[in-house]
Every structure is written in structure tokens, then in C-alpha cells.
Amino acid sequence: MEIHEYSGEGLEQLARQSFMPVITRTRSDFRGRMALQEMGEAVTVSRAYSGGSHRTFRTDRMAVKTPGDDVVLFCVHLAGRSHVRQHDRFAELTAGSGVLYEARSAWELLSSGESRSLTLHFSRDLLPLRTAEITEGCARSMDPAAPAMQMLSGYLDRLFDLADDLTASQRLDAGQAAIDLLAMALRDVTPTVPGDDGPAHVLLDMMRTHVRDHLADPRLRTEELARRHHVSVRHAQTLFERIGTTPGVYLREQRLLAARAMLSDPRYARLGMSDVAAAVGFLNLRTFERAFRRQYGMTPGGWRREHLHSEPLP
């Protein structure tokens, strides 16, 4: 077992040496501690304590220019408040929940205070899932009450404690067993990703899920949706005809539904209307207000005044 005590600068150096190059932002008095168990050449399990708020991130440029693009991290959040953002998704972590993120694209980890975590670090080629399935599994909070998640987190915790007593070959087997359990747990949270010959309805479901997960991306349009799923614009339109709409109309409706939910939710009562619009992918406030009025017959502000305290959230 390796044990490291570190400051903010030390955290950045430790991450570079043990996981992947990152950038960290901490207070001057930040302190942390990490213990690592090597399970094989490409697998480690670690426990970490962070003694204050911090931000750790990997930029698009780093993902392209620096080593580590085959690395995947799975974190079991044990205590504190943290969030992970990747692929335009934002996962809020509570005690016992888990989240996957990968080195080959930008990501960000935010902790608002003291936190503890248990992390499985491994090469992505050890995970028995297709590339698209791994990417779709990133930045999705995994429910701590789910049986598969309970099995996985319990196994990782026990594995960390017993690793020193295992032989080298047992460590290799135990590390791969942890990755196999992760693959099982991910199937509870990852949208279905069809193969090259997947049926049309599965591809349509995948595209609809993608829309709902990327509402905040103002670049998402019919052309971008088609490109990301490797189909022509015409084929995307044909798929959405199966549910009586078009990709553009479906995207606008989902954005407005998300905005309506935010306007009805007391947690977002302090957000300005421009912030609500941006959160669902509208760069222009007037465009958002016009679309909302056409859809619901009143302005966003009018909806908030009428529904904020009276409509229960789903």
C-alpha cells in the first residue's frame, strides 16, 4: 500500500503520477490524504480524504495532448458533497453513490467541502463494454440503493482492506472481478447503445436519450444529433417520424419541458430567466421567451409566478 499526504499542488502532482494529468484549484490551506493499492499493472484501488473544497479538471486540450486517454476512473462517493461533469452531463454525488468518468475527454470534479471517496482506476480496455457504452455511462450518478451498486461498493471496500494479503495473481483476478462488477452496475444506468445493425426503434430511443441528456448544449441541432449517431439528417428525420415529430421539434419541446420544470421548482427560484434559458440550451432570452409563450400560452415569468409554489414536482 502507498500512502500520500498532499497539499493543493501535491494533489495535482499525485494525480499526474498515479492517474492522469489534471489541473487543480484549492485554497492555500487545503490538505488531503490518499492510500493506493496496486491490483496489477493497469488497475488500482484508492481511498482518499480531501480536507476542503477543491476543483479538479481535465481540459479538452489535455485530453488530446497528454497521456492517459485509455484511463477510466470509477469513484464511490463516501462523504461530503461533490459533482462530476463530462459529456455535457452533470452528476450530483451523495453518500454511497458512484460515478464513472474517462480521460479521453474533458471532465470536471467539484467538491464543496471535506469529502471521502473510494476509486477504481483502470485501463478502459479491461471493461467488457463497447466504446460508446463506456462514454454513455460517464457522469451518471449511480444509486447507492441499487443492488448492483451495493455489491460493487462493498466489494471495492473489502478489496482495499484485504489487498495486502493477496498474491500477485490473486490481485490481478480480484481487480478484474471489480471491473466486471462495474460493468454489471453500469447496465442499470447506461442508455441502450445499439450495434451497427441495431433496430430502428433502439436507435431512436438512443437519440431521444441523447437529446434529454444534452439539453444545455446550444450547439445541439438536427445536424449535430445525426452526426453524433453516424446517420444522415434524412435518416434522423425518418426515425422521428415514427413518433409523429421531427428531431428539431422534439428537441425544442424537451428544452421547454425542462425549463418549465425548473420554473416550477423552488430550488431554482433564485435563478434569473437568462440562466434558466441557458440551462436548457437557449442562448437568446427573447427567443426562449417567445418559444415558451407559443408552447404554454404565457411567459416564463408568468409560469413561475403561477406554478412555483402550487405544482408538485414529479
Side-chain angles (χ1 to χ4, degrees):
M1 181 187 299
E2 300 177 19
I3 299 177
H4 303 269
E5 307 273 351
Y6 50 82
S7 62
E9 288 185 4
L11 173 58
E12 192 169 300
Q13 182 177 357
L14 177 60
R16 179 180 293 273
Q17 292 173 346
S18 302
F19 301 114
M20 68 186 81
V22 298
I23 298 171
T24 61
R25 296 288 183 264
T26 64
R27 292 166 51 109
S28 59
D29 58 351
F30 174 86
R31 294 293 182 273
R33 182 177 186 271
M34 181 180 292
L36 295 100
Q37 291 279 20
E38 295 281 350
M39 305 307 300
E41 188 173 321
V43 183
T44 63
V45 181
S46 61
R47 278 183 182 153
Y49 164 78
S50 294
S53 60
H54 66 279
R55 175 182 177 228
T56 303
F57 59 97
R58 185 168 168 86
T59 66
D60 286 319
R61 184 173 183 179
M62 293 175 74
V64 171
K65 298 290 187 181
T66 62
D69 65 354
D70 63 338
V71 169
V72 177
L73 297 176
F74 175 72
C75 174
V76 180
H77 190 71
L78 301 177
R81 290 183 59 84
S82 295
H83 302 82
V84 169
R85 185 190 300 274
Q86 191 171 45
H87 301 307
D88 300 318
R89 292 188 291 270
F90 189 78
E92 182 174 0
L93 303 181
T94 57
S97 62
V99 67
L100 184 78
Y101 49 108
E102 58 183 355
R104 61 172 51 183
S105 65
W107 57 263
E108 181 179 33
L109 170 66
L110 297 168
S111 291
S112 57
E114 294 186 8
S115 62
R116 291 188 296 113
S117 61
L118 180 64
T119 300
L120 176 66
H121 160 263
F122 58 95
S123 174
R124 65 183 294 127
D125 60 8
L126 297 177
L127 187 60
L129 297 174
R130 288 180 289 131
T131 297
E133 292 174 315
I134 295 172
T135 297
E136 285 297 325
C138 291
R140 298 183 187 276
S141 182
M142 299 171 65
D143 184 359
M149 182 61 200
Q150 291 186 50
M151 289 179 61
L152 175 58
S153 59
Y155 179 83
L156 289 174
D157 185 62
R158 193 66 175 144
L159 176 59
F160 183 90
D161 290 335
L162 296 176
D164 283 332
D165 298 324
L166 299 177
T167 65
S169 61
Q170 287 173 334
R171 282 176 175 244
L172 286 172
D173 291 341
Q176 185 60 55
I179 296 168
D180 290 340
L181 281 174
L182 172 60
M184 177 184 70
L186 282 171
R187 293 189 179 99
D188 287 343
V189 299
T190 305
T192 300
V193 179
D196 294 338
D197 58 349
H201 74 273
V202 176
L203 180 56
L204 174 60
D205 286 345
M206 179 182 170
M207 296 176 79
R208 293 169 70 185
T209 298
H210 186 91
V211 165
R212 293 192 294 270
D213 286 341
H214 296 79
L215 294 175
D217 184 357
R219 299 166 299 177
L220 185 58
R221 296 289 187 270
T222 300
E223 294 78 10
E224 180 66 7
L225 183 65
R227 185 190 67 80
R228 292 188 186 187
H229 292 83
H230 310 291
V231 299
S232 68
V233 169
R234 178 56 193 150
H235 187 53
Q237 291 169 338
T238 300
L239 289 171
F240 277 85
E241 285 173 3
R242 299 164 69 95
I243 57 172
T245 188
T246 68
V249 169
Y250 183 81
L251 174 58
R252 184 175 67 250
E253 288 177 346
Q254 293 302 309
R255 282 179 165 148
L256 293 173
L257 280 171
R260 190 180 71 172
M262 292 179 69
L263 294 168
S264 304
D265 191 333
R267 292 175 298 178
Y268 302 107
R270 294 181 180 273
L271 280 184
M273 211 56 69
S274 294
D275 295 323
V276 173
V280 296
F282 285 91
L283 293 178
N284 185 281
L285 177 58
R286 294 192 64 183
T287 300
F288 168 62
E289 290 175 333
R290 285 196 300 269
F292 194 96
R293 182 190 286 273
R294 283 196 302 268
Q295 188 77 9
Y296 300 115
M298 64 175 67
T299 65
W303 181 277
R304 172 178 271 173
R305 288 190 295 272
E306 186 171 321
H307 294 86
L308 181 58
H309 300 295
S310 60
E311 180 175 293
L313 293 175

